[in-house]
């Protein structure tokens, strides 16, 4: 049987992570089993204990807070190590619909895509403040221009990766991942899709995003990513494996 690993980057999310884990569908496809991995990004509250009680199958913890980019990088790495055929990332703040994971992974299961993003702007958004919405539009438009293809929601916190995409994804800074991983994978030739999802702004806890820190961290990272030459590693691995068959 194949495996889907759903990983949740989490920093001080004791108030919401239980509901997210319990909403993750476990038996929606006869050919796949689903396991839950929590990447604890140096939480100081009861995030780990709550996650274990809620049914998380795997926990990886940082001793101190490293940042969302570092947590997502670790989530992709560990999910591959655990044998995931598909890796799914979803925020632990309960803003994204965990029950829509079957729709998110469907294009990968049907081999129509390698990388799928859940799009709030193709679906429904409830409660997002104007400045956050405008910020999303600006950064998403930037990605669209750089990639020369239309993207609806480049900042989504709900994404799925084929095994090859998870192995190849490079996140070059620790603060965030949203822009650079899409630029990285699409420029390497991975097939990207967006599907509509429901979205509701969190009612518990606080977002880590601070406008000034976001600008000073993300913009240089986008520039650095675009200066790099995209090289797809999985092609080389596949060629090496084929040589010995």
């Amino acid at each position: 049987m194949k495996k889907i690993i759903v990983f949740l980057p989490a920093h001080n999310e004791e108030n919401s992570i239980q509901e997210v884990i319990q909403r993750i569908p476990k038996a929606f496809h006869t050919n796949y089993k689903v396991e839950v991995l929590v990447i604890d990004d140096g939480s100081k509250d009861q995030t780990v204990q709550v996650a274990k009680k809620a049914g998380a199958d795997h926990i990886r913890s940082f001793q101190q807070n490293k940042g969302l980019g570092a947590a997502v990088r670790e989530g992709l790495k560990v999910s591959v190590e655990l044998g995931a055929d598909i890796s799914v990332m979803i925020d632990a703040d309960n803003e994204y619909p965990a029950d829509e994971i079957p729709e998110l992974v469907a294009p990968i299961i049907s081999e129509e895509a390698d990388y799928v993003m859940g799009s709030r702007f193709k679906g429904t958004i409830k409660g997002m403040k104007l400045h956050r919405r405008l910020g999303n539009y600006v950064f998403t438009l930037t990605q669209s221009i750089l990639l020369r293809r239309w993207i609806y929601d480049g900042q989504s916190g709900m994404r799925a990766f084929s095994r090859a995409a998870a192995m190849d994804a490079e996140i070059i800074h620790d603060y965030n991942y949203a822009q650079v991983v899409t630029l990285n994978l699409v420029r390497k030739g991975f097939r990207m899709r967006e599907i509509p999802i429901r979205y509701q702004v969190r009612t518990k806890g606080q977002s880590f995003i601070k406008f000034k820190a976001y600008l000073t961290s993300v913009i240089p990272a986008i520039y650095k990513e675009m200066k790099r030459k995209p090289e797809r590693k999985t092609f080389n691995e596949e060629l090496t494996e084929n040589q010995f068959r």
Side-chain angles (χ1 to χ4, degrees), residues 8-230:
L8 288 71
H11 177 63
N12 295 338
E13 296 288 3
E14 65 179 7
N15 292 322
S16 58
I17 195 167
Q18 176 176 336
E19 185 175 352
V20 178
I21 291 173
Q22 291 179 342
R23 289 178 63 193
I24 294 171
K26 293 293 188 70
F28 64 88
H29 198 291
T30 55
N31 295 332
Y32 287 85
K33 65 176 180 178
V34 177
E35 296 178 2
V36 176
L37 163 66
V38 172
I39 305 298
D40 165 39
D41 189 12
S43 298
K44 302 301 183 184
D45 63 1
Q46 299 296 304
T47 293
V48 170
Q49 292 85 342
V50 173
K52 288 179 179 177
K53 187 176 180 180
D57 300 284
H58 312 279
I59 306 282
R60 293 291 188 277
S61 293
F62 295 153
Q63 293 300 310
Q64 60 186 19
N65 179 247
K66 292 186 177 182
L68 184 56
V72 174
R73 187 189 306 121
E74 183 73 3
L76 290 169
K77 172 178 172 286
V78 175
S79 66
V80 169
E81 291 172 354
L82 291 171
D85 296 282
I86 300 174
S87 301
V88 175
M89 190 222 85
I90 186 168
D91 283 353
D93 56 16
N94 207 27
E95 290 188 337
Y96 292 86
D99 55 299
E100 292 185 21
I101 286 174
E103 289 76 21
L104 185 75
V105 301
I108 297 178
I109 291 175
S110 63
E111 299 184 352
E112 297 174 11
D114 308 293
Y115 171 51
V116 182
M117 293 194 291
S119 172
R120 299 164 291 182
F121 297 107
K122 289 186 75 174
T124 59
I125 297 179
K126 184 177 180 181
M128 183 180 286
K129 294 181 179 178
L130 179 60
H131 72 280
R132 291 284 300 275
R133 188 183 288 260
L134 291 175
N136 273 283
Y137 288 153
V138 169
F139 277 106
T140 297
L141 179 61
T142 299
Q143 290 176 74
S144 297
I145 293 170
L146 292 173
L147 294 174
R148 299 180 182 179
R149 59 171 294 172
W150 190 252
I151 297 173
Y152 287 87
D153 188 0
Q155 327 306 309
S156 175
M158 185 174 177
R159 308 180 185 217
F161 305 76
S162 68
R163 183 171 179 83
M167 291 173 65
D168 230 73
E170 295 177 275
I171 299 171
I172 60 173
H173 69 140
D174 289 347
Y175 183 78
N176 201 352
Y177 69 93
Q179 301 79 23
V180 294
V181 72
T182 298
L183 294 172
N184 183 263
L185 288 175
V186 173
R187 291 171 71 225
K188 288 177 177 177
F190 286 98
R191 298 166 299 167
M192 187 192 80
R193 285 276 299 275
E194 289 183 89
I195 65 156
I197 59 170
R198 305 186 319 271
Y199 175 82
Q200 181 171 336
V201 171
R202 66 189 296 157
T203 57
K204 301 175 183 177
Q206 283 188 320
S207 171
F208 83 98
I209 294 175
K210 301 294 184 289
F211 182 72
K212 183 177 180 181
Y214 199 84
L215 288 179
T216 57
S217 298
V218 172
I219 292 176
I222 291 174
Y223 177 79
K224 183 178 178 181
E225 175 60 41
M226 292 304 296
K227 293 290 287 184
R228 302 168 76 228
K229 181 181 179 181

